[in-house]
């Protein structure tokens, strides 16, 4: 029982910590975007976006997904409690990120005239691509150090690196843009990459992992699994990007550019402001699951615990989105974006299924099932595209929300069957209790907004939001002892005040 409580607390701690980091980064991003938009205007924002998108695509092609795949290897070595083994794995990773980073940098330099022509229609930005080619090396080096921190589960260092990086990025970019305006774009991109790399190295150096010399033969032997799994993850990521691009082109051709803007803004709300919970949880969940990947019983326990916490944290947030989506859209955008509310309604219900799907799907990555993961993702992306096209054709933007829901119901069944057959996985009674109760409440909130008009929908909906919140608090108390944690936190704050006084 104590072991389970400790595990639940670790999940909640990591989610709370990185949830806070995600919120901070979103706020910094909003402030920076508004200031930069004023200083360099739409044209400057467009140039910045095109440069970043192009180098980002090359990075995805050349980084071999080491930022994700290597976490498994570092976490597994850490679980063995063998410092020599950890040092070897980390040293191999560091050599691989240098090789792949230099590869991305060299490809960008060689292709710079072609990239300029393809991206901007002329060769005026050839020198710009040559300058920012160094960022592909710097990004990969930074990614390698972040993998070490994540694999070692040094979540406090990861949080500090992310928060500090966002803050310094704001402090650096605004003055450079103020001084040089559009000409400051290249210096900002390079300076931001240097900052991220230095911060990641600084916090990675705080760990007790020592570097050891490894030969190229040892690097290839030890790094084979990292590269193999990473390559598959990289392909899967590129495929997802391609599907998204095709859909946007389709929506643009059928409904116009404004419809693409609405679609993008709607899923930005879902993926950024709700999706930050998944980002926060995955930071700790993936390495923790990787550490027990060889034991199917522990895998089942870990997945159930993570899925329960995911639903308990997400459900109150989703119920707020379901009831107050119009004010939320106006807050983040404007009244012109309210037509996207119907799409978000359907998509919010889909998030309940996405939470369970994400919890199970990580098992394939943690176990190194690269081929199975790729084909599962490949098939999933195919019917995502098909359902989205059908949904948009039949019901416009709302149809895209419906297709999101249908997709994740089917994908949940698909991934559950795969993991069930291969690893005898099953959800426990506690998960079903939590998931069914909160899903029913979410559906009730959805129906309330569809059949009632304001203010009655808001009044009645608020009651169900309260029920969802109280239920989550009650269940979290059973698992992690929220009252005890709150008391310890208050005591800690008081002691700090006393010491400072």
């Amino acid at each position: 029982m104590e072991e389970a409580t400790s595990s639940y607390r670790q999940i909640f701690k990591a989610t709370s910590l990185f949830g806070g980091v995600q919120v901070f980064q979103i706020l910094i991003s909003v402030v920076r975007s508004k200031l930069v938009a004023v200083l360099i205007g739409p044209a400057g924002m467009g140039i910045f976006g095109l440069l970043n998108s192009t180098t980002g695509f090359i990075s995805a092609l050349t980084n071999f997904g080491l930022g994700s795949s290597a976490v498994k290897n570092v976490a597994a070595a850490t679980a063995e409690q063998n410092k020599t083994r950890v040092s070897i794995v980390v040293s191999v990773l560091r050599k691989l990120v240098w090789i792949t980073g230099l590869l991305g940098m060299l490809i960008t330099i060689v292709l710079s005239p072609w990239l300029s022509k393809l991206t901007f229609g002329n060769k005026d930005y050839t020198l710009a691509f040559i300058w920012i080619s160094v960022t592909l090396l710097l990004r990969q080096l930074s990614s390698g150090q972040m993998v070490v921190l994540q694999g070692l589960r040094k979540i406090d260092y990861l949080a500090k690196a992310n928060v500090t990086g966002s803050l310094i990025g704001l402090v650096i970019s605004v003055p450079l843009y103020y001084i040089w305006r559009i000409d400051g774009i290249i210096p900002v991109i390079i300076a931001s990459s240097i900052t991220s790399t230095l911060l990641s190295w600084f916090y990675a150096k705080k760990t007790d992992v020592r570097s050891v010399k490894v030969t190229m033969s040892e690097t290839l032997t030890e790094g084979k699994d990292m590269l193999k799994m990473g390559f598959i993850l990289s392909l899967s990521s590129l495929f997802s990007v391609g599907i998204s691009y095709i859909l946007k082109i389709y929506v643009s051709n059928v409904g116009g550019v404004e419809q693409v803007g609405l679609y993008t803004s709607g899923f930005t709300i879902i993926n950024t402001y709700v999706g930050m919970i998944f980002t926060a949880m995955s930071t700790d969940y993936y390495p923790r699951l990787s550490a027990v990947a060889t034991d199917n019983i522990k895998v089942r326990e870990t997945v159930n615990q993570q899925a329960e916490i995911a639903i308990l944290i997400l459900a109150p947030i989703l119920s707020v989105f379901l009831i107050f989506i119009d004010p939320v859209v106006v807050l983040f955008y404007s009244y012109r974006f309210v037509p996207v509310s119907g799409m978000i309604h359907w998509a919010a219900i889909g998030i309940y299924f996405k939470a369970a799907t994400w919890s199970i799907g990580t098992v394939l990555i943690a176990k190194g099932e690269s081929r199975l993961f790729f084909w599962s993702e490949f098939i999933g992306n195919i019917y995502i595209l098909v359902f989205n096209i059908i949904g948009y054709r039949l019901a416009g933007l709302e149809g895209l929300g419906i297709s999101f829901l249908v997709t994740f119901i089917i994908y949940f069944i698909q991934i559950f069957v795969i993991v069930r057959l291969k690893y005898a996985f099953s959800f426990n009674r506690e998960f079903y209790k939590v998931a069914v109760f909160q899903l029913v409440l979410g559906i009730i909130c959805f129906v309330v907004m569809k059949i009632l008009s304001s203010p009655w929908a808001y009044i009645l909906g608020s009651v169900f939001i309260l029920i969802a919140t109280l239920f989550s608090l009650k269940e979290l108390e059973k698992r992690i002892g929220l009252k005890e944690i709150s008391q310890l936190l208050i005591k800690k704050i008081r002691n700090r005040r006393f010491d400072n006084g």
Side-chain angles (χ1 to χ4, degrees):
M1 181 63 184
E2 288 183 6
E3 184 180 346
T5 301
S6 175
S7 183
Y8 279 121
R9 285 189 175 184
Q10 176 63 27
I11 296 169
F12 188 76
K13 176 186 175 183
T15 305
S16 302
L17 180 61
F18 275 91
V21 170
Q22 292 290 310
V23 170
F24 181 82
Q25 288 180 313
I26 287 170
L27 292 174
I28 289 292
S29 177
V30 170
V31 172
R32 182 170 58 194
S33 295
K34 289 187 178 297
L35 289 174
V36 170
V38 171
L39 293 172
I40 65 175
M45 293 289 282
I47 293 170
F48 179 87
L50 288 169
L51 289 170
N52 259 345
S53 296
T54 307
T55 55
F57 185 76
I58 294 174
S59 178
L61 284 172
T62 59
N63 65 22
F64 282 84
L66 289 172
S68 299
S69 66
V71 174
K72 173 183 177 298
N73 299 70
V74 178
T78 303
E80 295 175 12
Q81 297 184 340
N82 184 332
K83 290 188 177 181
T84 302
R85 173 71 182 150
V86 173
S87 295
I88 292 172
V89 172
V90 170
S91 297
V92 168
L93 169 64
R94 285 173 174 166
K95 182 168 281 191
L96 287 176
V97 296
W98 269 100
I99 294 170
T100 53
L102 285 169
L103 175 64
M105 177 180 170
L106 290 173
I107 287 176
T108 304
I109 292 173
V110 171
L111 297 180
S112 57
W114 182 78
L115 292 174
S116 178
K117 182 73 175 175
L118 178 68
T119 307
F120 296 99
N122 54 58
K123 295 185 178 180
D124 295 349
Y125 290 86
T126 300
L127 188 59
F129 277 111
I130 292 173
W131 273 109
I132 64 174
S133 65
V134 70
T135 64
L136 278 88
L137 172 60
L138 294 173
R139 283 183 203 170
Q140 191 70 337
L141 294 178
S142 177
S143 174
Q145 300 315 308
M146 290 302 205
V147 164
V148 173
L149 295 176
Q150 190 176 354
L152 295 174
R153 296 174 67 184
K154 298 292 184 182
I155 59 173
D156 51 340
Y157 289 165
L158 269 172
K160 288 175 183 177
N162 283 318
V163 168
T164 308
S166 296
L167 193 56
I168 293 177
L170 175 66
V171 172
I172 289 175
S173 61
V174 173
L176 288 177
Y177 281 132
Y178 181 78
I179 295 169
W180 289 315
R181 304 292 165 150
I182 287 181
D183 291 337
I185 292 174
I186 305 302
V188 165
I189 292 175
I190 296 173
S192 298
S193 296
I194 292 173
T195 300
S196 298
T197 305
L198 291 176
L199 282 170
S200 65
W201 273 97
F202 174 76
Y203 285 105
K205 285 288 184 183
K206 286 177 170 287
T207 65
D208 59 354
V209 179
R210 62 184 179 87
S211 294
V212 295
K213 287 187 177 180
V214 290
T215 64
M216 183 56 70
S217 176
E218 290 173 322
T219 300
L220 292 174
T221 301
E222 186 66 43
K224 183 172 65 175
D225 288 341
M226 295 185 205
L227 292 170
K228 181 181 176 183
M229 183 69 181
F231 180 68
I232 296 297
L233 291 174
S234 182
L235 280 180
S236 178
S237 175
L238 285 171
F239 194 72
S240 297
V241 170
I243 291 295
S244 176
Y245 179 71
I246 291 170
L247 178 63
K248 286 179 180 177
I249 293 297
Y250 177 79
V251 172
S252 177
N253 289 335
V254 175
V257 176
E258 187 173 326
Q259 289 278 292
V260 177
L262 291 170
Y263 161 74
T264 303
S265 64
F267 276 100
T268 296
I269 290 177
I270 288 293
N271 293 325
T272 302
Y273 305 111
V274 176
M276 69 179 182
I277 302 297
F278 292 111
T279 303
M281 287 188 290
S282 64
T283 304
D284 174 72
Y285 177 46
Y286 178 30
R288 187 160 43 83
L289 189 60
S290 297
V292 299
T294 56
D295 187 332
N296 285 343
I297 294 175
K298 288 185 177 180
V299 165
R300 183 165 62 246
E301 291 173 357
T302 304
V303 173
N304 272 280
Q305 290 169 352
Q306 187 70 50
E308 288 168 31
I309 295 295
I311 294 292
L312 289 172
I313 292 175
L314 281 167
I317 299 171
L318 291 172
S319 62
V320 170
F321 271 65
L322 284 163
I323 297 300
F324 294 103
I325 190 57
D326 284 355
V328 167
V329 169
V330 172
L331 176 66
F332 286 119
Y333 299 106
S334 70
Y335 284 101
R336 293 177 61 191
F337 289 82
V338 170
V340 83
S341 296
M343 183 185 80
I344 297 176
H345 264 137
W346 289 97
I349 298 296
I351 293 292
Y352 289 91
F353 292 94
K354 183 178 179 178
T357 304
W358 168 80
S359 300
I360 311 170
T362 308
V363 172
L364 297 179
I365 306 176
K367 283 184 172 287
E369 293 282 1
S370 55
R371 288 186 180 180
L372 187 56
F373 175 79
F374 172 78
W375 286 111
S376 176
E377 289 285 298
F378 180 85
I379 293 168
N381 275 294
I382 290 296
Y383 57 70
I384 283 172
L385 179 61
V386 173
F387 288 154
N388 276 331
I389 290 174
I390 294 172
Y392 185 72
R393 195 166 191 85
L394 295 179
L397 289 172
E398 192 162 357
L400 292 175
I402 296 171
S403 69
F404 182 90
L405 170 59
V406 173
T407 293
F408 273 102
I409 291 175
I410 295 174
Y411 195 59
F412 167 72
I413 295 170
Q414 174 184 310
I415 203 72
F416 178 80
V417 169
I418 291 172
V419 179
R420 169 80 174 175
L421 294 176
K422 196 163 181 64
Y423 307 113
F425 173 81
S426 61
F427 280 119
N428 59 30
R429 185 178 178 182
E430 283 298 307
F431 170 77
Y432 285 116
K433 171 189 169 184
V434 166
V436 172
F437 184 85
Q438 291 288 26
L439 177 60
V440 169
L441 280 179
I443 292 172
I444 291 172
C445 289
F446 176 88
V447 172
V448 164
M449 292 307 297
K450 291 295 182 183
I451 64 174
L452 294 180
S453 56
S454 58
W456 301 111
Y458 292 143
I459 294 170
L460 185 58
S462 297
V463 174
F464 291 111
I465 291 172
L466 181 62
I467 294 172
T469 303
L470 291 175
F471 179 81
S472 284
L473 290 174
K474 177 188 172 185
E475 293 298 319
L476 286 171
E477 171 62 28
K478 283 168 56 179
R479 288 162 176 76
I480 64 175
L482 275 179
K483 291 179 182 178
E484 183 183 346
I485 292 175
S486 300
Q487 290 169 356
L488 289 172
L489 185 60
I490 292 170
K491 185 178 180 181
K492 190 174 182 179
I493 293 172
R494 284 177 177 172
N495 289 338
R496 280 189 180 180
R497 285 181 178 177
F498 180 77
D499 292 338
N500 292 336

